[in-house]
Amino acid sequence: MKLLILVLTALALVPEQETRFVAIDLYADTGGRPLVAWQIELECNAKIVGVEGGEKPPYYDPAALQGGRIILASFTTEPNPPAGRVLVARVHLQETGKTDYTAKLMAAASPGGARIEPRIEIVRAGGK
Amino acid sequence: MRRLLLALVIVFAGCAPGTEMPTREVGVAAPEQEWRHKPTLQDREVIIIEAAPQLRPLDAPRGGSLVTQIENKIVPLPLKHTDVKAQLSLYLSSVTLTQQYHNPYGSKIEAIYTFPLPDDAGVRDFIMQIGDRRIRGIVREREEARRIYAEARRQGHVASLLTQDRPNIFTQAVANIEPGKQIDVQITYFHTLRYQDGIFEFVFPMVVGPRYTPPGFGGTVPVEYLPPGEISAADIALEVTVDGGTEILSPTHAIRVAGNKVTLSPNDRIPNRDFVLRYKLPMRAVLATHRSEGGGYFTLMIQPPATLVDVPRAPREMIFVVDCSGSMSGQPIDVAKRALVKCLHRLQPDDTFRVLRFSDHVSSMTEGAIAATAENVRRAIQYAEALAAGGGTQMQEVVRVALETPATPGRYRLVTFMTDGYIGNDREVVAFARERLGSARLFSFGVGSSVNRYLLEALARVGRGASTFITLDESTEKAADDLFRRLENPAMTDLKIDWGTLGVAEVHPQPLPDLFVGRPIVVTGRFKGDGPSKIRVTGRAGDRPVEMELNAEEAFHHTALPTIWARTKIASLYDSMFGRTESQEQLDEIRRVALQFGILSDYTAFVAVDSLSRTEGNFGTTVVQPAPVPAGVKYETTVEKKK
């Protein structure tokens, strides 16, 4: 019992970690090929609190949303789709402590449905 | 999985109507205001100030049409404009609603606005726009979303939270709006349209009516109202695209029709009553489908058999319940009285009937049901014509009196509620009615410009009856006729459906509703087989067995069907718990379905945070957006009395 009280007291004395809101940018480097559709799985140990990306922010699959895991996807019908290092999504997060991120390309396509394999890069977004 | 998500992308992209962001400005006036709106939101820290000299409108009055046409004081409030775009495809509707919030004061604010949506709306998409940046909100368990929002607000981030208070009442909170800044929130939802006697009806509710919550019940509705003499500068623009349909009209608003596009007249943009749009479109059994990797979803509209009108009518015990509470004062009670008189005239000699009135108390012309003799009907009409409105809305008590009084032997008991439904304890009343229903059927007759459709539809649903609505500017005779057609013709009951080769599962609503004359039903479910399929519907009309074979062609595909299925399933789960002990298993199922399909519910909420913009100082002052009192409702007999 004493031990339990000690543990609880110690826990109570540990300052609660401040959470903060940050954003990360997901880039897809297509190597010059135009990008019309993509699907990326992001996993992190933070809470996802928003998804940004142009006029039509990327969609997410609610059934696959779990903690810090999200599957994002988008497509464009623009006549001149982006190519090269493309900012595909900005993900807003609520994090506590150090956050680890991994992003995995699930699918990407060029016009006509040609499959491409862009390199995915995660960059911490700047703030005001 | 990849195909699934890419399909999802196409689903979302294909369903939402295009959105424009009107940037026109509306005049605001009155540099200093008396802030008399009291804090009412539950479990949220709300600071409402009695007088706010530091909150000064930034914009000077501009003498716009609202200022010049209405001799009311325009109060500066956060909601600036609402833009609605709806796409109607046969019996399915997809609606994108954009609310523009701004800060007309000199210091930072949090805006809170409680607004209505259709009670069957499946809210699936939520975007917060700051300047030209658009952030898609995330659906989360409600409490988690609240915590995220509260923390973002505390830290000074622009954030928004959308929660469901009731199936037809929602609250939007937008935190950290700096002076002069604007934040837009865009919501997309889907629902099915009402169809009756060959006419489709689209309803966009614009204002939550003032709700009376009797002492002892929780769940007050957190809406504040503008007092007489004050109006909000917030206006509304609405554009509806109708696929097909003729004889388009609105009984509630001035509209412009150009081709298949309907817009509100610029002179009729005050959001103080439901927008109702009707149009003719002949329909047979129409199957809508949507296929995905996990299987398919469908909706099917089933028409009642034409022979229903030929089924002999059995004697009835008709109980008419008239809401005489303060909110019915004036035009609504007059409309209800006229409708009641029409119904009394149509009673048959072998019927019995009773008229009950209620407000704070229940009273009746007679102790029980009496024979519909000419003399008794004449007395009842006199009684009806003398009814006056005032007081609270003790609806549960009138339900008790109507349903617990022993029924006349050998007659079908049909109870009709004529009311605006402005109560805060709606779920409790529906549960109470369900517990006491017995073999009676409940019909609802909604009277008013912004009635509580959730209550009225739910009463009719659990009471195995039908609902009818009348706005204040419509023909009472026609509405009473519509009601009486449902009352005097037997319904097709005990519906069973053989789905043929469709491989159907999880059909909702459950149990299947009965089919009334002129009123089809829409059922939704999942399927794995192939269409088209021969579908057989069997049931009974009176003592006769009825069988219908439907050639349900897959008339169209619609990406909203999974959302509509999920929302209907949640409604069925709630219906199954009315009047019974709440099942944790069913509540968990509601939460699971809402999260899986990403829709708003009692257990889920949308939250969006802009982590990149952090405003200075604390979150400022919370300003609750007051609503106009619904058209036809008197502030002094309703809002003041309920305070």
Side-chain angles (χ1 to χ4, degrees), chain A residues 96-118:
Chain A
T96 308
K98 184 178 176 299
T99 305
D100 298 316
Y101 323 98
T102 58
K104 186 171 73 181
L105 178 74
M106 299 180 78
S110 270
R115 188 183 173 90
I116 58 173
E117 298 270 344

Side-chain angles (χ1 to χ4, degrees), chain B residues 18 20 83-87 237-241 261-264:
Chain B
E20 292 167 16
D83 189 74
V84 182
K85 286 191 166 50
Q87 174 83 42
L238 197 143
E239 180 185 293
V240 184
T241 305
K261 280 206 182 345
V262 179
T263 52
L264 270 187

Side-chain angles (χ1 to χ4, degrees), chain A residues 17-78:
Chain A
Q17 275 197 296
E18 174 84 353
T19 68
R20 59 190 174 277
F21 294 89
V22 298
I24 55 169
D25 288 339
L26 295 180
Y27 287 90
D29 191 341
T30 66
R33 298 188 66 179
L35 180 67
V36 294
W38 58 267
Q39 184 175 326
I40 293 171
E41 179 183 357
L42 171 73
E43 275 198 272
C44 59
N45 52 340
K47 285 179 186 166
I48 294 153
V49 296
V51 178
E52 188 177 350
E55 173 66 20
K56 286 187 179 170
Y59 300 100
Y60 65 90
D61 179 0
L65 184 71
Q66 287 170 358
R69 175 175 178 262
I70 195 167
I71 296 178
L72 300 167
S74 187
F75 76 101
T76 180
T77 52
E78 283 178 28

Side-chain angles (χ1 to χ4, degrees), chain B residues 10 53 82 100 127 214 222 239 284 315 328 344 349 368 399 403 441 453 497 504 518 525 544 554 611 613:
Chain B
I10 293 161
T82 302
Q100 297 178 352
I127 291 175
E239 180 185 293
R284 293 182 177 277
M328 294 285 288
L344 291 170
V399 168
L403 293 177
R441 284 177 182 260
R453 287 176 184 253
I497 304 175
V504 164
R544 302 176 184 175
E554 283 187 64
S611 62
S613 62

Side-chain angles (χ1 to χ4, degrees), chain B residues 27-349:
Chain B
V28 292
E32 293 197 14
Q33 298 300 325
E34 285 278 320
W35 288 77
R36 59 179 64 80
H37 315 299
K38 306 280 188 241
T40 51
L41 286 184
Q42 293 178 320
D43 40 274
R44 179 183 290 135
E45 189 183 353
V46 179
I47 303 165
I48 306 295
I49 46 178
E50 287 295 323
Q54 78 276 28
L55 295 184
R56 294 172 190 279
L58 294 177
D59 306 330
R62 290 190 173 79
S65 59
L66 283 170
V67 177
T68 54
Q69 288 174 12
I70 300 166
E71 291 178 10
N72 279 321
K73 185 168 67 175
I74 297 179
V75 292
L77 291 164
L79 182 66
K80 182 178 171 184
H81 179 73
T82 302
D83 189 74
V84 182
K85 286 191 166 50
Q87 174 83 42
L88 313 184
S89 306
L90 296 183
Y91 53 85
L92 299 173
S93 159
S94 55
V95 180
T96 297
L97 164 70
T98 304
Q99 297 166 340
Q100 297 178 352
Y101 295 92
H102 74 146
N103 182 347
Y105 314 112
S107 61
K108 200 162 61 168
I109 62 164
E110 176 193 35
I112 293 186
Y113 176 42
T114 298
F115 61 97
L117 291 178
D119 63 275
D120 60 344
V123 180
R124 193 181 71 178
D125 206 13
F126 175 82
I127 291 175
M128 174 173 75
Q129 179 161 352
I130 308 160
D132 58 359
R133 295 176 52 223
R134 292 163 60 80
I135 299 173
R136 186 179 300 284
I138 305 289
V139 70
R140 291 279 179 194
E141 290 216 26
R142 183 183 171 113
E143 286 315 309
E144 186 184 20
R146 275 182 182 277
R147 284 196 296 272
I148 291 169
Y149 173 80
E151 184 58 19
R153 182 181 73 148
R154 190 187 68 78
Q155 293 190 21
H157 292 284
V158 174
S160 51
L161 175 73
L162 178 64
T163 51
Q164 175 180 308
D165 300 314
R166 304 289 164 86
N168 58 342
I169 302 177
F170 301 80
T171 295
Q172 179 67 63
V174 184
N176 294 306
I177 312 176
E178 291 185 303
K181 295 285 176 61
Q182 178 174 316
I183 311 288
D184 293 354
V185 172
Q186 184 180 301
I187 298 160
T188 300
Y189 67 86
F190 308 100
H191 66 118
T192 53
L193 299 177
R194 195 179 172 86
Y195 186 65
Q196 182 176 307
D197 300 322
I199 295 173
F200 275 107
E201 183 176 88
F202 168 75
V203 177
F204 179 77
M206 292 195 186
V207 65
V208 177
R211 305 296 168 86
Y212 176 87
T213 304
F217 290 93
T220 54
V221 178
V223 182
E224 292 297 319
Y225 293 92
L226 287 162
E230 288 186 12
I231 61 168
S232 163
D235 67 350
I236 190 161
L238 197 143
E239 180 185 293
V240 184
T241 305
V242 182
D243 287 351
T246 57
E247 299 180 42
I248 299 172
L249 62 88
S250 169
T252 56
H253 287 74
I255 55 171
R256 290 177 174 175
V257 182
N260 65 343
K261 280 206 182 345
V262 179
T263 52
L264 270 187
S265 162
N267 298 321
D268 201 356
R269 291 188 167 186
I270 299 175
N272 65 348
R273 61 200 188 280
D274 292 353
F275 171 78
V276 179
L277 187 76
R278 294 187 187 137
Y279 55 96
K280 276 194 175 168
L281 189 61
M283 295 276 286
R284 293 182 177 277
V286 177
L287 184 69
T289 57
H290 173 73
R291 286 186 167 82
S292 65
E293 244 182 24
Y297 296 86
F298 73 89
T299 54
L300 174 68
M301 177 178 271
I302 304 172
Q303 296 279 356
T307 52
L308 267 188
V309 289
D310 303 327
V311 178
R313 177 189 189 280
R316 277 139 162 66
E317 181 196 84
M318 304 272 204
I319 300 179
F320 299 102
V321 177
V322 186
D323 180 352
C324 292
S325 65
S327 61
M328 294 285 288
S329 180
Q331 222 180 332
I333 191 70
D334 290 341
V335 171
K337 283 157 62 173
R338 283 202 299 272
L340 173 58
V341 169
K342 297 277 178 206
C343 290
L344 291 170
H345 277 304
R346 292 184 61 163
L347 291 170
Q348 298 292 310

